[in-house]
C-alpha cells in the first residue's frame, strides 16, 4: 500500500434512526485503522463539523454514518464542495442508491431482476383514497407483499404482509420512517447479501452471505443482536447460483455508479434466479454486520481493507 494518510477522520453517530448502529460501525472502523498505524479521530457530526473540517483539513474522511445523514449524498456533496477526500460512493451515486424505487428502476435496465412494485407517497395515499388504493394493491400485486420505506435501512419500517387485512398497518409503519412507501411482491427463497469491494483495482464481489433469522424475519433486532440470526458464508446455494448472484451484484454496483464498497441485498428464488432488493452505499460494519463477515471469509484483514479504502480515496477519483 502507499504511504499512510497522516490523519483519518471517522464520522459516526448522526441523527438518523440508525445512530446507535453507526456509532458501533465507527468504533470498529477506527479500531481497524489504528491497528494499521493510522492517526484516527472519531467524531460525531454536528453543526461545528464544516468549520472544523475547514480548519483541521484531515487527509481523508471515513464516513461510518448510516441512514440519511450518511447515505443520501448530502454530506458527500459538502465534502466534494470543500475538497476533502472521503471513502465511499460519490454524492450523485449515493442519492440514486438511497432511493429504493430509483435504484430498482436503474438496475432493472441492465437485466437484473427486481420484484414488481409501486411507490406511493403519503400525500397520494391520502388524496387518492386509501381504501381504493389498498384494494388495487391487493388485486394487482398478488400473493404476499413487502412494504418498506422508500428510503432508509436496517429493516426499520419494513413489514411482510401475508394477509391483505394487515396492509393498512404496514403502510402506516412505513410512513413512520419516510414519506414514500414501497410496496413489493414478496419473492421467497434464500436471502443473501453480496459485498462489493474496490480498493483501487476494480470492483470485486465478495462471497455471498446467507441470512437465516432464527425467528423468521430479518428485523432490526435480528440484525444487531447476536444470536438472533444465523449467517452462512459462503451462502448455501449452488455454485452456478452464487456466480449469477455475484454477476447481478456487480452489475447493480456499476449501474448505480457506486465506489469503494457496497452491499447488494438479494433473494435467490427456487429457480436459482437472483432478485435485486436494494444496494447499500455504506453497509453496516458492526461486529454482527454482513460485510465484515464476507471480508474475513475472503481472507481480508478488516483493518487493512479500511486503510486501503482510505488511501484509495486520497488518490482519487
Amino acid at each position: 500500500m502507499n504511504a499512510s494518510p497522516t490523519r483519518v477522520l471517522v464520522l459516526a453517530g448522526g441523527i438518523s434512526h440508525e445512530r446507535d448502529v453507526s456509532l458501533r460501525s465507527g468504533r470498529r472502523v477506527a479500531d481497524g485503522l489504528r491497528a494499521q498505524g493510522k492517526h484516527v479521530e472519531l467524531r460525531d457530526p454536528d453543526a461545528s463539523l464544516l468549520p472544523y473540517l475547514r480548519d483541521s483539513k484531515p487527509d481523508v474522511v471515513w464516513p461510518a454514518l448510516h441512514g440519511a445523514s450518511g447515505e443520501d449524498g448530502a454530506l458527500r456533496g459538502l465534502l466534494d464542495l470543500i475538497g476533502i477526500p472521503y471513502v465511499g460512493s460519490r454524492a450523485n451515486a449515493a442519492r440514486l442508491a438511497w432511493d429504493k424505487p430509483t435504484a430498482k428502476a436503474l438496475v432493472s435496465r441492465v437485466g437484473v431482476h427486481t420484484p414488481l412494485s409501486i411507490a406511493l407517497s403519503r400525500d397520494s395515499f391520502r388524496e387518492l383514497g386509501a381504501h381504493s388504493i389498498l384494494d388495487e394493491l391487493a388485486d394487482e400485486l398478488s400473493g404476499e407483499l413487502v412494504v418498506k420505506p422508500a428510503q432508509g435501512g436496517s429493516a426499520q419500517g419494513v413489514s411482510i404482509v401475508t394477509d391483505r387485512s394487515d396492509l393498512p398497518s404496514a403502510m402506516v409503519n412505513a410512513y413512520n420512517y419516510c414519506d414514500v412507501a414501497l410496496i413489493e411482491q414478496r419473492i421467497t427463497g434464500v436471502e443473501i447479501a453480496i459485498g462489493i469491494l474496490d480498493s483501487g483495482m476494480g470492483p470485486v464481489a465478495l462471497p455471498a452471505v446467507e441470512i437465516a433469522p432464527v425467528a423468521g424475519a430479518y428485523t432490526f433486532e435480528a440484525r444487531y443482536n447476536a444470536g438472533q440470526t444465523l449467517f452462512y458464508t459462503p451462502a448455501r446455494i449452488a455454485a452456478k447460483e452464487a456466480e449469477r448472484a455475484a454477476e447481478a451484484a456487480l452489475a447493480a454496483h456499476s449501474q448505480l455508479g457506486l465506489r469503494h464498497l457496497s452491499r447488494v441485498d438479494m433473494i435467490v428464488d427456487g429457480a436459482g434466479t437472483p432478485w435485486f432488493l436494494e444496494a447499500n452505499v455504506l453497509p453496516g460494519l458492526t461486529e454482527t454486520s454482513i460485510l465484515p463477515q464476507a471480508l474475513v471469509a475472503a481472507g481480508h484483514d478488516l483493518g487493512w481493507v479500511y486503510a486501503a479504502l482510505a488511501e484509495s480515496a486520497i488518490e482519487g477519483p
Side-chain angles (χ1 to χ4, degrees):
M1 298 195 313
N2 297 324
S4 300
T6 308
R7 187 178 177 194
V8 184
L9 177 62
V10 177
L11 297 178
I15 59 173
S16 81
H17 297 295
E18 299 175 73
R19 171 179 172 81
D20 289 343
V21 179
S22 171
L23 289 170
R24 288 163 61 182
S25 288
R27 286 192 290 267
R28 299 280 287 189
V29 171
D31 288 345
L33 290 168
R34 291 185 181 115
Q36 295 294 310
K38 308 304 180 191
H39 299 281
V40 181
E41 180 181 358
L42 183 61
R43 186 182 180 92
D44 197 333
D46 55 24
S48 66
L49 176 62
L50 290 181
Y52 175 82
L53 288 171
R54 288 189 180 279
D55 291 340
S56 63
K57 293 183 172 59
D59 292 296
V60 61
V61 170
W62 222 114
L65 295 163
H66 304 308
S69 58
E71 297 184 71
D72 67 357
L75 172 65
R76 297 158 195 266
L78 289 170
L79 292 173
D80 284 330
L81 188 66
I82 60 180
I84 295 181
Y86 56 90
V87 172
S89 297
R90 295 292 190 190
N92 288 341
R95 292 187 187 100
L96 295 177
W98 175 244
D99 188 74
K100 294 179 178 67
T102 299
K104 281 165 60 72
L106 289 172
V107 169
S108 68
R109 292 180 185 176
V110 292
V112 177
H113 293 277
T114 188
L116 183 64
S117 65
I118 184 171
L120 287 173
S121 69
R122 188 198 309 265
D123 289 342
S124 295
F125 190 62
R126 290 172 175 169
E127 293 172 8
L128 299 179
H131 290 297
S132 297
I133 288 176
L134 291 173
D135 287 341
E136 288 296 325
L137 288 175
D139 290 340
E140 297 302 322
L141 298 178
S142 59
E144 297 183 350
L145 303 175
V146 178
V147 181
K148 64 183 78 172
Q151 300 173 344
S154 291
Q156 293 182 315
V158 177
S159 303
I160 296 174
V161 178
T162 58
D163 188 305
R164 68 186 290 168
S165 65
D166 295 328
L167 188 52
S169 61
M171 299 292 290
V172 172
N173 188 31
Y175 287 137
N176 283 333
Y177 292 89
C178 182
D179 286 336
V180 178
L182 178 66
I183 305 95
E184 287 184 327
Q185 281 189 329
R186 186 185 184 193
I187 305 297
T188 58
V190 180
E191 186 172 359
I192 66 169
I194 296 184
I196 307 296
L197 174 66
D198 183 359
S199 57
M201 302 296 289
V204 175
L206 299 171
V209 178
E210 179 183 346
I211 302 155
V214 173
Y218 194 38
T219 62
F220 179 87
E221 291 75 16
R223 288 169 185 249
Y224 301 111
N225 292 324
Q228 294 196 19
T229 301
L230 300 177
F231 299 98
Y232 298 92
T233 312
R236 298 172 299 175
I237 55 178
K240 189 63 177 178
E241 294 174 358
E243 182 180 342
R244 283 199 294 264
E247 290 171 354
L250 285 167
H253 178 94
S254 298
Q255 174 71 353
L256 294 170
L258 305 183
R259 185 182 74 152
H260 292 160
L261 77 169
S262 70
R263 192 192 76 230
V264 179
D265 297 342
M266 291 183 284
I267 298 285
V268 178
D269 67 17
T273 300
W275 293 77
F276 171 87
L277 300 179
E278 62 183 88
N280 298 268
V281 299
L282 184 62
L285 300 170
T286 73
E287 61 277 4
T288 60
S289 294
I290 292 169
L291 187 67
Q293 295 182 54
L295 287 167
V296 171
H300 294 295
D301 174 82
L302 296 181
W304 185 92
V305 169
Y306 301 154
L309 292 175
E311 293 177 2
S312 181
I314 292 173
E315 293 169 3

